[in-house]
Amino acid sequence: MKLTTLAIGLTCCFGSTLVLSAAPINVSSSGNVIGDDVLYSIGGGNAVTMGSAGNMDSISVGGGWNNNLVCGNMSLNHTLENQLNGATSGFKNIMSSVVQNATGAVASLPALILQRANPALYNLITNGILQARLDFDRSKGTCRAIGDRMADIAGNQMGWGKLAEGQAMSQTLASNSDAVSAVEQVEKKGGNDGVTWVGGDRAGGSGQKPIRIVGDVTKAGYNLLNKRATGDTSSISKDTCSNGMVCNVWSSPQEATAFANRVLGEQQQQTCDNCPKTVTAAGVGLTPLIQETYDVKLKALKEMLTGNKSLSAENLEAASSSSLPITRGVVAALKDERDQDVLARRLASEVALSEVLEKALMLQRTLLAGSREPNVAANDLAVQAVDQQSSSLQQEIGNLKIELDMRQQLAKNSPMTIIERGKARTESSRGVLPGGPETDRLNQLQSPAKSKP
């Protein structure tokens, strides 16, 4: 009967342990087995906040941000007609008394006949054309000035279009010395020719690939750090990596780009007409990646603790990170630990945090290298965008560090003080009071007092 009762108790105990192994780190899931001093000395539960998140959707903006505010669509002929017909001010205000007569004369007589037939009227029309031309140039200059001002305010939305227009102007002037004709050609082209981008290729224009700042710069940085051409897309095996920093983290530019887009999102720019100038996709940050890595590391560690897998170098590497390796001694000590569940989960969370932070720091280095690519470095808009993404990544890393330090400090503050004071009271109650200096004191108290003589 006693053996049966003991077996039932052991079965319930082991059954509860198996159920608890799949639960998150918290005091209630660990019951009375967890040592409070262990829980608070390691900083509580998980190292940092973790949670899952999906990929974010892309958002298109900038459909109305034309590269030159369609100033090139201004028509001189239409301007002259409106000036002479009185639809707009200018010549009408100067010569309002003869506009109607001039309109009828122009409609019926050529300019030469008009000069001979009515020199005064011809002079009036000539002055009107000059006045219309001045108003046209002034209006177009005002439109350009507004466009330049909007480019300063709108930043990336119009700055890339202005850059494309400037590069188109330089290419046109190289083959056409006629200033008026060159300006007309550039206005017709707009930003359809795109801009010079990574590797010297044109991008962002009509029929060209979009400018993907995060992806293209990450890809260029990956290849530059591995001494390859910026447009190389091939993978790098472990044998040819030669202990390289970047190729040990990501085996191909596509993997590095996928990690960068998952964390930072993407900022896509285009300069062509009738296309969205900016398309953005928000990143999910580092927290979901820590959760995903934590699940993988905890599973690998549990398999070794339960004996399903041996303590081989490959299995230990699967549960480790480059900056925080898990050794055989750590796993052996965890097997004999009564607080195995909590400590294993905490260890897996710290390994996941270190691995993701290692990739984040490597991404920073990759973005820095990519921003040094000549075509990117010569583009202030691209450099500013890369710096902004790098700053966002640095802020994410700093937030994780602050959270980790804060959790450790809070867990070691009041909870540890309460536990230590409780232990002190317990130890004091177990102590034995020292005996009196007099021997046989009890017998003396029990014996009657001697009467004085």
Side-chain angles (χ1 to χ4, degrees):
M1 182 65 182
K2 292 182 179 179
L3 291 176
T4 304
T5 304
L6 179 61
I8 294 174
L10 291 175
T11 302
C12 295
C13 179
F14 286 125
S16 62
T17 303
L18 292 175
V19 173
L20 296 178
S21 62
I25 302 177
N26 54 62
V27 178
S28 61
S29 67
S30 300
N32 297 325
V33 179
I34 176 64
D36 295 332
D37 55 343
V38 176
L39 176 65
Y40 292 114
S41 62
I42 62 177
N46 295 327
V48 293
T49 301
M50 297 185 296
S52 60
N55 292 321
M56 310 301 283
D57 294 332
S58 299
I59 302 175
S60 300
V61 297
W65 298 95
N66 293 316
N67 58 334
N68 62 351
L69 291 181
V70 292
C71 297
N73 293 338
M74 289 184 175
S75 173
L76 176 59
N77 294 333
H78 193 197
T79 303
L80 292 175
E81 291 174 2
N82 288 335
Q83 288 279 357
L84 295 178
N85 290 326
T88 56
S89 59
F91 179 57
K92 178 181 178 181
N93 295 336
I94 299 174
M95 300 293 179
S96 59
S97 62
V98 294
V99 167
Q100 295 179 354
N101 295 331
T103 304
V106 171
S108 59
L109 296 175
L112 182 60
I113 299 176
L114 177 62
Q115 182 184 20
R116 294 175 179 175
N118 194 341
L121 180 60
Y122 177 82
N123 292 334
L124 291 175
I125 294 176
T126 304
N127 292 332
I129 293 175
L130 293 177
Q131 179 65 37
R133 182 68 188 185
L134 291 175
D135 289 345
F136 177 82
D137 292 339
R138 180 178 58 83
S139 300
K140 193 167 186 178
T142 303
C143 180
R144 287 291 185 180
I146 295 175
D148 294 339
R149 179 59 178 168
M150 289 298 296
D152 295 336
I153 298 175
N156 293 336
Q157 279 71 29
M158 296 188 64
W160 289 93
K162 290 294 181 181
L163 178 62
E165 188 178 359
Q167 291 186 359
M169 176 66 77
S170 63
Q171 293 178 353
T172 302
L173 291 176
S175 58
N176 187 359
S177 60
D178 187 342
V180 176
S181 176
V183 171
E184 290 178 354
Q185 291 182 24
V186 171
E187 289 178 344
K188 290 180 180 179
K189 290 181 180 179
N192 291 325
D193 285 348
V195 300
T196 305
W197 191 228
V198 176
D201 299 330
R202 309 289 295 186
S206 179
Q208 300 172 353
K209 64 178 182 179
I211 300 171
R212 297 182 176 91
I213 295 177
V214 176
D216 293 343
V217 174
T218 301
K219 177 182 176 182
Y222 181 93
N223 288 322
L224 289 175
L225 290 175
N226 288 287
K227 298 181 180 180
R228 307 195 308 175
T230 56
D232 199 335
T233 59
S234 60
S235 301
I236 301 177
S237 62
K238 292 184 177 180
D239 298 334
T240 59
C241 182
S242 301
N243 199 26
M245 294 186 300
V246 182
C247 55
N248 275 330
V249 178
W250 303 294
S251 61
S252 67
Q254 289 76 13
E255 288 186 10
T257 301
F259 180 86
N261 291 145
R262 182 82 190 283
V263 175
L264 299 175
E266 186 57 276
Q267 183 177 349
Q268 178 177 300
Q269 300 289 345
Q270 289 179 288
T271 62
C272 51
D273 296 337
N274 300 323
C275 63
K277 298 301 179 284
T278 302
V279 178
T280 61
V284 299
L286 298 176
T287 298
L289 278 69
I290 297 175
Q291 177 66 52
E292 296 170 2
T293 308
Y294 166 77
D295 295 337
V296 175
K297 299 300 180 182
L298 181 60
K299 180 180 179 181
L301 185 59
K302 288 283 188 181
E303 288 177 344
M304 291 187 291
L305 290 175
T306 56
N308 294 334
K309 289 188 177 181
S310 62
L311 302 182
S312 62
E314 292 78 8
N315 294 332
L316 289 172
E317 184 179 359
S320 307
S321 67
S322 299
S323 57
L324 186 59
I326 304 300
T327 62
R328 291 182 176 87
V330 173
V331 179
L334 275 177
K335 286 184 177 181
D336 299 332
E337 177 62 52
R338 66 170 186 170
D339 299 327
Q340 178 188 114
D341 184 68
V342 169
L343 293 178
R345 291 176 182 273
R346 173 70 183 201
L347 179 60
S349 67
E350 292 181 353
V351 171
L353 175 61
S354 64
E355 180 169 309
V356 173
L357 286 180
E358 179 184 357
K359 291 183 178 180
L361 293 173
M362 191 58 61
L363 177 59
Q364 271 194 325
R365 186 184 296 271
T366 305
L367 288 174
L368 180 61
S371 64
R372 298 296 184 267
E373 199 273 340
N375 296 285
V376 177
N379 189 335
D380 287 341
L381 292 172
V383 172
Q384 293 174 7
V386 174
D387 290 343
Q388 184 179 3
Q389 297 293 342
S390 182
S391 299
S392 299
L393 183 58
Q394 181 62 44
Q395 183 178 3
E396 184 86 7
I397 297 173
N399 291 340
L400 290 175
K401 182 180 183 301
I402 292 174
E403 183 180 0
L404 178 62
D405 295 340
M406 181 183 65
R407 288 192 174 201
Q408 292 177 344
Q409 292 296 327
L410 291 177
K412 292 180 180 179
N413 194 12
S414 298
M416 283 300 298
T417 302
I418 295 172
I419 292 173
E420 290 174 358
R421 289 176 62 85
K423 285 185 177 181
R425 289 193 300 270
T426 302
E427 294 297 330
S428 299
S429 64
R430 294 175 181 176
V432 179
L433 295 176
E438 300 178 2
T439 60
D440 200 20
R441 186 176 181 182
L442 181 60
N443 294 331
Q444 294 179 9
L445 293 174
Q446 292 178 351
S447 62
K450 296 181 180 180
S451 59
K452 295 182 181 180

